[in-house]
Amino acid sequence: MQNVSLVYDVVVIGAGPVGENVADRAHTTGLSTVIVEGELVGGECSYWACEPSKALLRPVVARADARRVPGLRQAVQGPLDVAAVLAHRDAMSGHWQDEDQVEWLKQEDVNLIRGHGRLDGPKQVTVQTHDGERIRLSARHAVALCTGTSAVLPDLQGLAEVRPWTSREATSAHEVPGRLAVVGGGVVAIEMATAWQALGSRVTLLVREDGLLHRMEPFAGEMVAQSLREAGVDVRFETKVTSVARAGGELRIELADGGELTSDEILFAIGRAPRTSDVGLETVGLTPGDWLTVDDTCQVTAVDGGWLYAVGDVNHRALLTHQGKYQARIAGAVIGARAKGEPLDDSWWGAHVATADSVAVPQVVFTDPEVASVGLTTREAERTRRRVDVVDYDIGQVAGAVQFAEDYRGKARVLIDTDRGTVAGATFVGPGVGELLHSATIAVVGEVPIDRLWHAVPAFPTISEVWLRLLETYRT
């Protein structure tokens, strides 16, 4: 085995979108940067999450939208072309090859080492490469852990022999299972239930809680559940799986209420865990397997010396790709500034990151109907004792919605901070509402006074006119 020692200004472990952005931003400040990756460059989002899942969902949602348009409805009554959908998914995932991403790193002059990277003391990283080489990396200024998360599986005896699906299998499967059991009530569970039901599976959704999307406004989960049932999904609430066994290729699923279910595949979408169990945390006084607590610049607070950063999902601030990339841009720039001894403007670096990761996190759930939300929910406002007025409006009453789809079903809710006179949160449910989200995010982040929002005139006839109707409802 050959041992090699290399020195860089910044060492990044994990070449997903977050790690790529940290490395790129640090390099643009003039620092030498290397990134370590044991799988595919581009990470979970590119190959097993955001991109393949949306490639599966787009034809499902587009067909649903088309079926609501008079004159087009009859032309789209047939089934989806499964082979074409899966081929498009494969193309969007780069056929699980990362040459394009590797080429981008080369163009940005960021070095890549393939292998498993582990911390080995302060500012030290050891890489075991795929060909047996051992490389020791020393960082002059910073090490950034961008290792993301992995799917959580329940502690059920014999589960490994069953070969359950996680989000990876759900987004990369090449055959449609005749019957699919989906365990979970969050975003991954309902998006995959939506996709595979439309592709031909008989889907049963097993939800331990009493509703879907429990972190969002209750009406969002209720409307999605109604739509799933109308599409043919068997949605069961307050249901717990107690055992799973495979016999003759068929899955037998036992439930806590004594019931039994048979299926061909089972997907567990019950949560995420940090990929920190084997990255050498113990060598710097941290506990393997833990989430990593960071400050507003993504610097790990429990490690002295200010050299260790944890960026993206691994710090548990906001488990979304766009938020991780946002953190990465900040962290990379901060690392560069600190390396040069440049002062940080706390009013920008600190407050801006905290705002984006706590009170203004935008999210879209790509189901039918779509769900889009940002900022506080009513439950969060109650929990934090924030005084808000709740304003609801039926999006189907907006002229633009009627143009979008016949019998449009949707709902909008905004929370108005009564002390500041600004929008504190917004939730939209309905076809096409994802395009409303950025305007809501700007309103929340910018703390735009309600009196100024009256002068942001929505074009007619678009769904954005719901903003005007919400303001009118608030004033009456």
Side-chain angles (χ1 to χ4, degrees):
M1 180 185 295
Q2 183 179 3
N3 294 319
V4 178
S5 295
L6 302 170
V7 180
Y8 291 88
D9 292 324
V10 181
V11 178
V12 179
I13 302 179
V18 174
E20 288 176 321
N21 275 272
V22 171
D24 179 48
R25 285 303 171 102
H27 177 71
T28 59
T29 68
L31 302 182
S32 62
T33 307
V34 63
I35 193 165
V36 180
E37 176 55 57
E39 293 188 287
L40 295 174
V41 175
E44 201 80 11
C45 177
S46 298
Y47 306 104
W48 302 287
C50 315
E51 297 197 31
S53 68
K54 302 316 168 279
L56 291 173
L57 287 160
R58 180 57 192 152
V60 178
V61 174
R63 183 181 65 170
D65 288 342
R67 286 177 172 177
R68 300 183 182 101
V69 179
L72 182 58
R73 182 180 298 114
Q74 296 305 315
V76 290
Q77 287 304 309
L80 293 171
D81 183 336
V82 174
V85 172
L86 296 183
H88 176 60
R89 184 273 317 272
D90 293 352
M92 289 296 294
S93 301
H95 299 278
W96 292 275
Q97 301 293 320
D98 62 2
E99 288 88 351
D100 289 346
Q101 303 261 19
V102 172
E103 183 61 30
W104 178 81
L105 287 178
K106 289 180 180 178
Q107 292 175 0
E108 298 303 311
D109 200 23
V110 173
N111 287 354
L112 168 67
I113 297 176
R114 291 188 182 272
H116 181 64
R118 300 181 83 255
L119 295 171
D120 193 16
K123 296 186 181 181
Q124 302 297 311
V125 173
T126 300
V127 182
Q128 189 69 43
T129 69
H130 298 322
D131 57 8
E133 190 176 30
R134 187 174 183 272
I135 301 176
R136 186 173 183 82
L137 302 173
S138 297
R140 295 188 185 93
H141 299 293
V143 175
L145 288 174
C146 308
T147 50
T149 60
S150 56
V152 171
L153 288 172
D155 185 16
L156 295 176
Q157 186 174 0
L159 185 63
E161 289 74 25
V162 168
R163 302 183 304 280
W165 280 12
T166 66
S167 53
R168 284 198 169 195
E169 290 76 20
T171 55
S172 62
H174 282 87
E175 292 184 3
V176 179
R179 297 163 298 176
L180 174 64
V182 179
V183 183
V187 176
V188 172
I190 63 174
E191 285 190 347
M192 290 299 94
T194 299
W196 288 107
Q197 175 73 30
L199 289 170
S201 283
R202 283 181 287 151
V203 175
T204 303
L205 184 61
L206 307 173
V207 186
R208 189 167 185 172
E209 295 83 12
D210 60 357
L212 304 178
L213 300 173
H214 66 278
R215 293 184 180 179
M216 294 185 171
E217 296 286 4
F219 69 83
E222 292 166 4
M223 294 179 72
V224 172
Q226 178 184 349
S227 180
L228 284 171
R229 283 177 169 141
E230 290 174 353
V233 176
D234 180 2
V235 182
R236 306 185 189 184
F237 294 126
E238 298 181 308
T239 302
K240 180 182 178 182
V241 175
T242 56
S243 70
V244 180
R246 192 181 290 274
E250 184 176 74
L251 279 169
R252 295 189 179 278
I253 305 165
E254 292 187 1
L255 307 176
D257 62 5
E260 187 176 278
L261 177 69
T262 56
S263 183
D264 297 299
E265 301 291 350
I266 184 168
L267 162 63
F268 285 96
I270 58 175
R272 308 289 295 181
R275 287 181 179 165
T276 60
S277 61
D278 189 22
V279 293
L281 293 187
E282 69 280 1
T283 70
V284 294
L286 300 176
T287 303
D290 279 0
W291 299 100
L292 299 176
T293 302
V294 298
D295 64 15
D296 288 340
T297 64
C298 295
Q299 192 176 93
V300 177
T301 57
V303 174
D304 294 333
W307 60 273
L308 183 61
Y309 292 76
V311 193
D313 287 5
V314 75
N315 64 34
H316 208 230
R317 288 172 72 108
L319 276 64
L320 295 162
T321 297
H322 48 274
Q323 292 299 121
K325 291 167 69 174
Y326 168 80
Q327 292 176 17
R329 293 190 292 269
I330 298 297
V334 167
I335 289 169
R338 285 174 171 158
K340 297 177 181 178
E342 298 175 355
L344 301 182
D345 181 355
D346 290 338
S347 66
W348 192 87
W349 292 106
H352 192 50
V353 175
T355 297
D357 284 345
S358 58
V359 299
V361 176
Q363 182 173 15
V364 178
V365 185
F366 293 88
T367 47
D368 175 37
E370 280 186 348
V371 180
S373 68
V374 64
L376 293 179
T377 64
T378 50
R379 283 179 291 197
E380 289 169 340
E382 291 171 2
R383 179 177 57 81
T384 58
R385 297 184 179 180
R386 186 126 167 224
R387 296 201 309 161
V388 297
D389 286 334
V390 179
V391 186
D392 291 339
Y393 196 80
D394 178 358
I395 303 177
Q397 299 300 310
V398 174
V402 178
Q403 296 289 334
F404 190 94
E406 188 178 53
D407 190 28
Y408 187 105
R409 289 186 293 179
K411 182 175 180 178
R413 170 173 291 178
V414 295
L415 306 185
I416 308 297
D417 186 309
T418 56
D419 295 320
R420 298 187 178 111
T422 58
V423 177
T427 300
F428 307 98
V429 181
V433 297
E435 299 306 322
L436 291 172
L437 188 56
H438 196 55
S439 57
T441 303
I442 292 172
V444 174
V445 173
E447 297 181 324
V448 181
I450 292 298
D451 289 344
R452 289 301 303 161
L453 284 179
W454 281 101
H455 300 283
V457 182
F460 180 88
T462 66
I463 298 177
S464 293
E465 194 181 4
V466 72
W467 278 106
L468 175 59
R469 303 305 171 211
L470 287 164
L471 292 174
E472 291 174 338
T473 302
Y474 180 56
R475 288 304 187 197
T476 57

